Amino acid sequence: MNTNNLKPEIEMLKQESAPEHLKAQIVQAILDENKSKKMNKLKVLGLGLPAIALGIIAFGAAMAPKTALADPISQVRNAFEAAQNYHMTTYQIEGGQRKRVSESWVENGERTTYTVNEDGTLTQLDDLFIVVQDNVNGQMIKLAPVEIAKGEKAHTEIRETAVVGIKLAPAQISTDGQPPAPKNIQGKPFKVVEDNSLNVKIVEGSAIELIIMPFVDAEMNIESLQKLLEDKSLWDIESNQTINGRLANRYKLKETYMDFTVYVDPKTKLPILTRQILTDDKGKSTTTEVEYEYDGSIPPVVAEKAKPALIAPGKAVETKK
Amino acid sequence: MEAELLEKLKIKDADAITNWVEQHQNDLYRLLRHLTRHNETAEDLTQQTFIRAIKAIHNFQGKCTMRTWLHRIAFREYAAWRRKHRILAPLNPEWGKPDKAISEIDTNEGIINALHRLHPAHREAFLLHEVQELTIEEIAEVTGDSIGTIKSRLHHAREKLKRELATTFPQVIHEH
């Protein structure tokens, strides 16, 4: 079979042409982009990730060529402020089974995250990651760990490190399909830990583009959520939903490639549950839920910070104040 | 000529950018419009393709043509879009009504609809080869797949289209 039979139809398909306004629009967009890049080079941002953050929350708006969401990146950055005391439990839902994967405690802005091991014990996480995408071949690469303190404040530092690292990276272009090795501010190469196929966003850069995960952690802090919820244009809102037996307002994020919903206590306005559903290229969905508790939960303390410790839940030897 | 254009693009020369966009926009828009079946999305992705390309223009090494390179970027933009939007909205919700007269336009929509009943990878290979007129090697460059895979996809696309159009528009197949 050849396509001779279809030639007239194929010819018709070839007749499609761009609308008249498109050229001017594109040229203007390129020139504007260039202008804004010069004005604000620090626009390039990245966020660190706890090593557990396979359930990353990545809001996809920045992928949209037109600004569908009003600068969600800076919204989130601005929202990263000292958190209140609270406790987050992250669950992965697979095949209807809800599996607890991590626990985090936030005290005065300091967050301590633990993965839940198979035996129910907890392992503290210190490592933060940067994810970049090779602009040439599209590979996503998780870089790190970078020596940095844990906690939300670390995100800012790691971003700036990443920006500089990325700016030094053009010479590291991958042309052979192998992951490139961008360098950090000191010129030391990051260690390439593993490829990363998560849905994340690209910002800008030359050879290697930093990927933005604006609201990244599956365990988003309360201030970030609250700040986001203030922008009503981002959300479809349904009041008075019942979630886990409690009355809640439901905020569902618009215009994103992932399904992301925040359930908020209508009285306190505090988030009580977030649910994100990420679907990969093969149609496989991963659901992550995060429950927020405001009961003054006290985190366990790891005796030796340098070494990840195993602590049975509820059996911490020491407790923080 | 292309080298001269390239140098001007690297310094963001406005005239060069205008010419460059003019030269390639129809090509890219057509591909993206057929792939996405959505005019505004095709416009957005076309724009995004040029923006990405101009940012990465320093990386263009001339190992393939500018056209192929732009197709590769456009295809990645499309792939990212597809990940985000799994449901493809038909351009015309009225398509496929059995009692509609078959005009030239309808036939055109007919093949588009038939294309969109293909497996995405088959559809993409077909559009890149038959409509965009890329060679097998160029398609492999654009999609990152092997030549054998592209050939196989083209074969399946043609076979499926033949069957689809024979059912929906029998005169199309028989008259040519």
Side-chain angles (χ1 to χ4, degrees), chain A residues 156-167:
Chain A
T156 307
E157 297 170 40
I158 205 167
R159 278 184 215 141
E160 290 172 358
T161 303
V163 170
V164 177
I166 295 307
K167 284 180 180 172

Side-chain angles (χ1 to χ4, degrees), chain B residues 84-139:
Chain B
K84 291 189 284 181
H85 302 84
R86 303 208 165 263
I87 300 169
L88 298 172
L91 286 171
N92 176 7
E94 297 295 309
W95 71 267
K97 285 193 173 178
D99 57 348
K100 204 169 183 181
I102 299 174
S103 65
E104 185 175 89
I105 292 173
D106 290 333
T107 308
N108 195 14
E109 284 301 309
I111 192 172
I112 292 175
N113 291 329
L115 270 172
H116 280 267
R117 285 193 287 272
L118 297 180
H119 185 284
H122 298 169
R123 173 171 64 248
E124 290 153 12
F126 185 88
L127 284 170
L128 287 166
H129 190 58
E130 300 293 349
V131 179
Q132 299 301 103
E133 298 180 335
L134 296 185
T135 65
I136 305 286
E137 289 76 15
E138 286 171 332
I139 297 172

Side-chain angles (χ1 to χ4, degrees), chain A:
Chain A
M1 153 90 184
N2 57 40
T3 51
N4 287 341
N5 290 340
L6 298 173
K7 269 189 174 171
E9 290 69 43
I10 291 171
E11 285 305 314
M12 280 189 280
L13 295 182
K14 289 178 184 174
Q15 300 308 312
E16 195 75 49
S17 60
E20 286 185 6
H21 65 269
L22 189 60
K23 182 176 77 176
Q25 182 182 308
I26 292 172
V27 171
Q28 194 59 46
I30 291 172
L31 296 176
D32 286 349
E33 183 86 11
N34 195 32
K35 198 184 296 174
S36 80
K37 192 175 176 183
K38 283 178 183 167
M39 287 170 64
N40 184 14
K41 289 190 175 181
L42 283 179
K43 186 181 167 190
V44 182
L45 295 174
L47 285 178
L49 285 180
I52 62 138
L54 295 177
I56 278 169
I57 294 173
F59 287 19
M63 286 296 282
K66 292 175 180 173
T67 312
L69 306 185
D71 195 5
I73 311 303
S74 62
Q75 283 181 24
V76 173
R77 185 167 45 158
N78 295 337
F80 273 125
E81 295 171 355
Q84 303 299 310
N85 297 334
Y86 58 94
H87 172 219
M88 298 181 281
T89 307
T90 305
Y91 299 90
Q92 291 285 349
I93 299 173
E94 289 179 10
Q97 297 295 311
R98 199 166 187 252
K99 184 184 175 188
R100 186 172 60 115
V101 293
S102 77
E103 300 275 0
S104 291
W105 284 265
V106 178
E107 283 195 311
N108 303 319
E110 279 283 312
R111 189 169 81 187
T112 313
T113 300
Y114 302 82
T115 53
V116 179
N117 303 307
E118 288 297 322
D119 61 0
T121 57
L122 303 179
T123 300
Q124 185 179 2
L125 293 169
D126 278 326
D127 296 340
L128 294 174
F129 289 82
I130 302 169
V131 179
V132 298
Q133 182 170 39
D134 178 351
N135 189 30
V136 177
N137 58 30
Q139 281 184 301
M140 293 185 182
I141 304 148
K142 190 155 71 179
L143 307 170
V146 177
E147 287 298 324
I148 201 160
K150 66 179 182 292
E152 297 296 355
K153 288 178 184 174
H155 286 299
T156 307
E157 297 170 40
I158 205 167
R159 278 184 215 141
E160 290 172 358
T161 303
V163 170
V164 177
I166 295 307
K167 284 180 180 172
L168 294 177
Q172 306 293 323
I173 301 168
S174 168
T175 53
D176 56 1
Q178 295 302 308
K183 295 176 180 178
N184 66 11
I185 190 169
Q186 288 87 22
K188 295 176 183 173
F190 287 108
K191 183 183 175 189
V192 176
V193 178
E194 60 182 24
D195 287 352
N196 187 310
S197 59
L198 298 169
N199 286 322
V200 284
K201 298 198 299 187
I202 300 165
V203 188
E204 60 182 74
S206 48
I208 295 167
E209 292 185 324
L210 194 57
I211 291 175
I212 285 265
M213 288 166 283
F215 316 151
V216 250
D217 301 23
E219 302 169 325
M220 197 187 311
N221 78 25
I222 301 304
E223 283 67 27
S224 301
L225 282 174
Q226 290 288 45
K227 188 83 177 174
L228 289 167
L229 294 174
E230 286 172 12
D231 188 343
K232 299 290 192 294
S233 66
L234 302 182
W235 306 89
D236 287 321
I237 304 170
E238 297 170 18
S239 299
N240 301 325
Q241 303 284 303
T242 302
I243 175 75
N244 297 346
R246 293 174 63 181
L247 199 63
N249 293 332
R250 179 177 184 271
Y251 292 69
K252 192 170 185 309
L253 190 70
K254 293 176 183 174
E255 297 192 57
T256 176
Y257 56 91
M258 73 160 56
D259 192 306
F260 183 73
T261 308
V262 184
Y263 291 92
V264 173
D265 186 309
K267 288 183 182 173
T268 65
K269 306 297 182 192
L270 287 168
I272 53 177
L273 176 90
T274 62
R275 178 183 296 128
Q276 61 149 326
I277 304 171
L278 273 173
T279 306
D280 66 18
D281 281 346
K282 293 170 185 168
K284 185 188 172 191
S285 293
T286 305
T287 302
T288 305
E289 288 188 349
V290 182
E291 285 186 352
Y292 294 79
E293 298 168 16
Y294 308 91
D295 58 0
S297 294
I298 299 170
V301 167
V302 178
E304 286 184 71
K305 189 180 172 186
K307 296 178 184 176
L310 297 179
I311 298 175
K315 292 186 179 178
V317 180
E318 251 182 284
T319 56
K320 282 186 180 175
K321 186 181 170 185

